[in-house]
Amino acid sequence: MSNSSPTMEMERPNLDTEMEFPQDFRCPISMELMKEPVIIATGVTYERKNIEKWFFSYKKKTCPATMQDIQNFGVTPNHTLKRLILGWQNGYSPSSSSSASPSSSPLPTFKHDEMVSLLKTLGSSPFKVNSLKKLKEIIEIGDEMKLDFILLGGLDVLFQLIVQILVDCSDFMAFRACEEALGVLQHLHISEQDDGKVIELLSKPECINSMAIILQRGSKEARVYTISILNNLANSNFNWNVIVNDQGIGMFKSMLELASDEISTKASSSALHVLIKILDSSKKSRSKAIEAGAICTLIELLPDSNKSKCEKILLIIKLLCACADGRVAFIDHRLGIGAVAKKMFNVSEMASKICVKIFSLICSFHPTEKVLEEMMSYGAVKKLVVLLHVSGPSSTKSKVLDMFKRHGNSWSRYPCFPGELKEYLGLDRHLRPGNQI
């Protein structure tokens, strides 16, 4: 006599039946249902014990599914997939009308059916924009609908629509469909921890190049969608060289326009965050940003920026001043030194440290009489003196002391230069060679 009953079979999916076992729930190594899914550096999800055995017992240095070489063997829990598997085990199936677990609300079957119909329409009809808008409304209902969308293969449909503009970006309907597809994607709330598959899809060069086109030529709403998606990518281990190598300065100009947006503070913050990630990744990207006029735009944004925005702007200026062209653009701007000097002690400790680094770079490579005079007249030197009185050694204090040792003789000619500082630096006793302008 069988130990199972028809009732039990109805309550729990048959784990041995492949048709009832979604492929995405399987570990690529064991092909069994995952209990503790984790994402590795390549974006592929595995059962934790299987991938750890692969790495640490078998001493493998590749991704089992893609055979890519791996340097980082860390793993990240895939919380979204785990919730999806648990929901499925508790009786949830996107194609059935059975109730979910007691802790969650039943999935609206009619919405599921509508989503299936809309995805089919997107594959066959040339009129895709309205279908995408309806999909976005369904996805906004809640996490169940987002998971349902992913299970139904919605991500692949979106990807095809997004990259279609690479074939002919002058096709208005294809362009609008791409914009709306990015809107749907943005509403999935992408994060590296939860959506490794989404990150993997977005990281493809075709997808990145399509988003770069929308960022430059799309509507205001589409550009906000795109910068939000790129902002989420910035929190992952994304290779920004794809953008830097394939896109011109137009993309940086678009990001700087969004950074200047006074209406959408979220878009502005996202644009600055993405710029930091891109500029921090390569010197080549900094040259393009400088050519796009980044220094001028950022200096003019600085005076009216709040704390968070100000810190980001100063950090970007510092990254750009690490390049010769960036330093020249900074000192050529008539408000550059004054704008940075004003932010010292008026924003945050972090902002003040970044200001010191900027001045240190300028003083080290471009200690012209004009630069040193502006630092004195705009109050930068006076504020640097204050930092010398901070107790205890620090890298910031060392940079300040080095600036005074190099250029103190020039600044000491001004009546407002503190007499005790002259004595402290020994400026009255001897004159260091090369310190005079």
Side-chain angles (χ1 to χ4, degrees):
M1 184 175 175
S2 174
N3 291 329
S4 61
S5 66
T7 305
M8 290 176 64
E9 290 177 4
M10 289 293 291
E11 290 175 350
R12 179 174 177 174
N14 184 352
L15 302 184
D16 297 324
T17 304
E18 188 165 335
M19 291 301 292
E20 295 183 11
F21 201 131
Q23 187 65 29
D24 287 342
F25 294 177
R26 295 178 179 275
C27 173
I29 295 175
S30 67
M31 297 307 293
E32 295 176 349
L33 180 71
M34 289 185 278
K35 296 179 180 178
E36 196 174 355
V38 294
I39 307 168
I40 67 170
T42 57
V44 181
T45 298
Y46 298 92
E47 173 64 31
R48 181 186 287 275
K49 65 178 182 180
N50 295 337
I51 193 62
E52 288 183 346
K53 190 174 183 180
W54 174 269
F55 286 152
F56 306 121
S57 297
Y58 297 150
K59 307 296 182 183
K60 300 290 186 180
K61 297 182 179 180
T62 56
C63 170
T66 66
M67 296 311 295
Q68 290 177 258
D69 291 333
I70 292 177
Q71 304 295 327
N72 178 8
F73 300 98
V75 298
T76 304
N78 191 331
H79 299 300
T80 293
L81 185 56
K82 186 171 183 177
R83 287 198 299 269
L84 188 56
I85 292 171
L86 289 173
W88 176 79
Q89 286 179 308
N90 287 326
Y92 160 65
S93 170
S95 59
S96 71
S97 58
S98 58
S99 298
S101 60
S103 61
S104 61
S105 302
L107 196 69
T109 307
F110 71 96
K111 286 296 182 184
H112 163 79
D113 294 339
E114 185 181 357
M115 188 182 290
V116 171
S117 175
L118 288 168
L119 288 172
K120 286 181 179 178
T121 301
L122 288 172
S124 58
S125 171
F127 306 106
K128 305 179 189 299
V129 173
N130 286 337
S131 297
L132 287 164
K133 287 182 177 179
K134 290 177 181 177
L135 267 178
K136 186 164 61 177
E137 291 174 1
I138 295 174
I139 287 172
E140 288 175 337
I141 292 174
D143 289 341
E144 292 87 352
M145 290 285 90
K146 293 170 189 173
L147 298 177
D148 195 18
F149 175 80
I150 293 171
L151 261 187
L152 289 169
L155 290 177
D156 292 328
V157 174
L158 292 183
F159 178 75
Q160 293 303 321
L161 294 174
I162 291 169
V163 301
Q164 186 61 37
I165 63 170
L166 295 178
V167 178
D168 183 8
C169 62
S170 64
D171 185 334
F172 177 75
M173 295 305 294
F175 199 89
R176 285 288 296 115
C178 177
E179 289 185 323
E180 289 299 330
L182 289 170
V184 174
L185 197 56
Q186 190 264 340
H187 278 78
L188 290 174
H189 302 298
I190 309 151
S191 70
E192 184 181 29
Q193 283 193 331
D194 288 355
D195 299 288
K197 187 174 180 180
V198 182
I199 298 292
E200 182 184 6
L201 180 148
L202 288 172
S203 300
K204 293 181 178 181
E206 314 96 279
C207 197
I208 289 297
N209 285 328
S210 294
M211 287 194 286
I213 291 172
I214 294 296
L215 202 60
Q216 296 173 66
R217 297 174 50 189
S219 65
K220 172 65 180 297
E221 187 178 34
R223 293 170 68 200
V224 171
Y225 288 151
T226 305
I227 201 65
S228 177
I229 293 170
L230 290 174
N231 185 47
N232 288 320
L233 276 180
N235 296 322
S236 67
N237 295 320
F238 179 68
N239 182 7
W240 293 103
N241 287 330
V242 175
I243 283 183
V244 176
N245 293 334
D246 295 344
Q247 300 299 322
I249 64 171
M251 188 198 63
F252 284 100
K253 287 183 177 179
S254 298
M255 286 190 183
L256 290 167
E257 285 177 13
L258 285 169
S260 306
D261 194 327
E262 297 179 358
I263 299 174
S264 178
T265 54
K266 184 178 179 181
S268 177
S269 178
S270 294
L272 291 170
H273 185 214
V274 173
L275 279 169
I276 289 170
K277 290 293 183 177
I278 295 176
L279 298 175
D280 198 32
S281 67
S282 73
K283 291 183 179 179
K284 185 178 180 181
S285 63
R286 297 173 198 175
S287 297
K288 288 189 176 182
I290 293 164
E291 191 177 350
I295 288 288
C296 182
T297 300
L298 295 169
I299 289 173
E300 290 171 6
L301 285 177
L302 198 53
D304 299 321
S305 300
N306 59 27
K307 176 185 173 182
S308 176
K309 190 172 182 178
C310 184
E311 289 175 344
K312 289 185 178 75
I313 290 172
L314 287 170
L315 182 54
I316 295 172
I317 291 174
K318 188 209 75 169
L319 287 169
L320 296 178
C321 282
C323 301
D325 290 346
R327 292 189 294 272
V328 170
F330 179 81
I331 60 178
D332 282 349
H333 196 292
R334 61 186 182 85
L335 298 178
I337 290 175
V340 173
K342 191 173 182 179
K343 293 300 177 181
M344 284 185 69
F345 304 145
N346 290 327
V347 180
S348 66
E349 184 178 353
M350 179 187 293
S352 296
K353 287 181 178 179
I354 299 172
C355 291
V356 171
K357 290 178 183 177
I358 293 170
F359 286 135
S360 177
L361 285 166
I362 299 302
C363 285
S364 296
F365 294 97
H366 300 275
T368 63
E369 185 173 0
K370 174 178 177 291
V371 167
L372 297 178
E373 183 179 348
E374 285 188 2
M375 286 185 66
M376 176 62 77
S377 61
Y378 282 118
V381 175
K382 183 178 180 180
K383 291 184 176 181
L384 291 173
V385 170
V386 175
L387 289 173
L388 285 179
H389 292 85
V390 176
S391 60
S394 69
S395 59
T396 300
K397 187 174 180 179
S398 297
K399 286 183 175 65
V400 174
L401 189 58
D402 182 65
M403 279 188 272
F404 277 112
K405 286 180 177 178
R406 287 172 180 268
H407 312 297
N409 286 305
S410 296
W411 289 326
S412 66
R413 294 178 302 178
Y414 292 86
C416 57
F417 192 81
E420 66 273 15
L421 189 57
K422 291 182 184 180
E423 186 176 349
Y424 174 74
L425 296 172
L427 298 178
D428 288 335
R429 292 193 298 273
H430 62 84
L431 213 56
R432 294 172 181 268
N435 281 349
Q436 295 185 72
I437 302 299

